[in-house]
Structures are given as structure tokens and as C-alpha cells.
Amino acid sequence: GQQLNQSPQSMFIQEGEDVSMNCTSSSIFNTWLWYKQDPGEGPVLLIALYKAGELTSNGRLTAQFGITRKDSFLNISASIPSDVGIYFCAGLFSGGSNYKLTFGKGTLLTVNP
Amino acid sequence: NAGVTQTPKFRILKIGQSMTLQCTQDMNHNYMYWYRQDPGMGLKLIYYSVGAGITDKGEVPNGYNVSRSTTEDFPLRLELAAPSQTSVYFCASSYPGGAGNSYNEQFFGPGTRLTVL
């Protein structure tokens, strides 16, 4: 099956620092997604990317869809304590009526005030 | 709207017991999904449904069954619980994926934490 490699596994940063995480795949996806999961909650969609090369921002978050369609990165600028959580990338391969997400293993972000 | 609701929030089962995880959405979404999340891992798709009466296997369907008799409900059934099924289970729903590269956001419930001893 399709595999997603997400790195780093965890990050410990100081409030105010910028953060970068990325995902690479052995397969091509035609949509890349970034989710955040707070403790005890389900994942919430942060950014969706639909085209190779696309760069999209959502507040302090910026994500890009790699040109090869096999990678994506997420940047968080000027981190704040509420950025703490697990960030997941997910790739979507859509064909016919099937829309199956493949998730990375997540990046655990800790922000020290 | 309540969104996607799941019950129970927590459950402990003995090996061999059965149970049903409930999932309900009030957004009139056609598509519904069940995922499991193991520690340090991403979410893996168990089953999904593209509409009432239609279900299909995901990546890890063994040991589970689903049904979709209404648009709103998508219960997940464990018939003979095994320790390997200890996990956090998430239900999600979405509108049908659009043509081309469009994507309709999957909304997730809060999860059910299941332990099998």
C-alpha cells in the first residue's frame, strides 16, 4: 500500500520560534492535507492542497504541495502555546468513487512558553 | 449542528466479547468512515460508506463489521474482541468527493478509546 513518511516525529520548541515539518511518499497523490489533533479530540483539517506547486496559507500556517506530487511541507510561524498537538499529513488518491486518505504517523509538537 | 458524535467515549472489553461503536452525524453527509489510531501511528481506514446501504472495506477491515441503514448512522461492530483491537477509533463524515482535484473535508468525531484485556 501507499506509505507516507512524516518527519520529524516530535519537536520541542520555544514560544515564538518557527516550525517546519514535512511528508514524503513513494506514490503520487493528487491532494495533500494537513490535520491537527488536540489531546482527546479527533483531527481537524488545517490546510488542503490540490495542485502541484501550490502554496497555501492559513494564518500563521503555510503549506506547499511538492512539484513531484510526492511530498508536502507545513510551516508554523511565531509558535504559541496553543499550537501544541499532533500534526498529521495525509495524501488523497481519488479514483472513481473512492476517496481514501493515507495518513502519516504524525509530528508531536510541544511549545514551551 | 452537533457534527459527528461517537459513543461510548471509553470502553474496556474482555477477549472474546462483542460490542458496537456508535457514530452519528447530522450534516447530511453521504460519505462516512471508520478509522483506528494506534499509539504513535497515523489513522488507518477500517471501513467506509458512500451512502445508505453501501459499505466497503478499507485498509484494515479484519475483525470488524459495519452497516449503513440510514444516512446519519454508521455503527462499527466488533464480534470477538482481541487485544490487537485495543486502539482509539474515530468516525468521520464528508460530502462526496468532487470531480478532479477537489476534496470535501472529512469531519471527525471525538473518538472512542477501546481497551481489550
Side-chain angles (χ1 to χ4, degrees), chain A:
Chain A
Q2 294 164 321
Q3 300 279 338
L4 279 187
N5 295 312
Q6 184 172 350
S7 64
Q9 283 189 322
S10 61
M11 302 181 74
F12 298 85
I13 62 171
Q14 293 296 126
E15 183 177 0
E17 290 183 351
D18 297 343
V19 171
S20 184
M21 58 193 79
N22 68 83
C23 276
T24 59
S25 169
S26 57
S27 305
I28 289 173
F29 290 110
N30 50 23
T31 300
W32 279 94
L33 307 161
W34 285 92
Y35 284 85
K36 182 190 178 196
Q37 184 178 23
D38 291 326
E41 301 290 330
V44 174
L45 183 66
L46 298 173
I47 292 180
L49 301 159
Y50 301 121
K51 296 179 184 178
E54 180 181 352
L55 185 71
T56 297
S57 293
N58 178 7
R60 294 177 296 106
L61 278 61
T62 302
Q64 185 159 32
F65 192 145
I67 291 291
T68 65
R69 295 170 61 191
K70 292 185 177 181
D71 63 315
S72 177
F73 72 75
L74 174 71
N75 287 341
I76 305 173
S77 63
S79 59
I80 59 178
S82 62
D83 290 334
V84 165
I86 303 176
Y87 291 79
F88 291 100
C89 63
L92 179 64
F93 178 79
S94 59
S97 61
N98 296 329
Y99 291 84
K100 298 182 181 178
L101 282 177
T102 300
F103 281 84
K105 294 183 179 181
T107 295
L108 174 62
L109 178 63
T110 303
V111 180
N112 296 318

Side-chain angles (χ1 to χ4, degrees), chain B residues 48-110:
Chain B
Y48 67 103
S49 168
V50 300
I54 306 170
T55 63
D56 207 349
K57 296 178 181 179
E59 186 181 354
V60 289
N62 291 345
Y64 306 95
N65 280 302
V66 293
S67 60
R68 184 94 182 272
S69 56
T70 66
T71 299
E72 294 78 19
D73 301 306
F74 190 38
L76 178 71
R77 179 88 176 155
L78 282 71
E79 291 293 349
L80 291 171
S84 61
Q85 294 177 305
T86 294
S87 189
V88 182
Y89 291 84
F90 289 100
C91 179
S93 71
S94 72
Y95 288 114
N101 291 327
S102 64
Y103 168 76
N104 285 296
E105 178 180 351
Q106 288 187 21
F107 292 85
F108 284 82

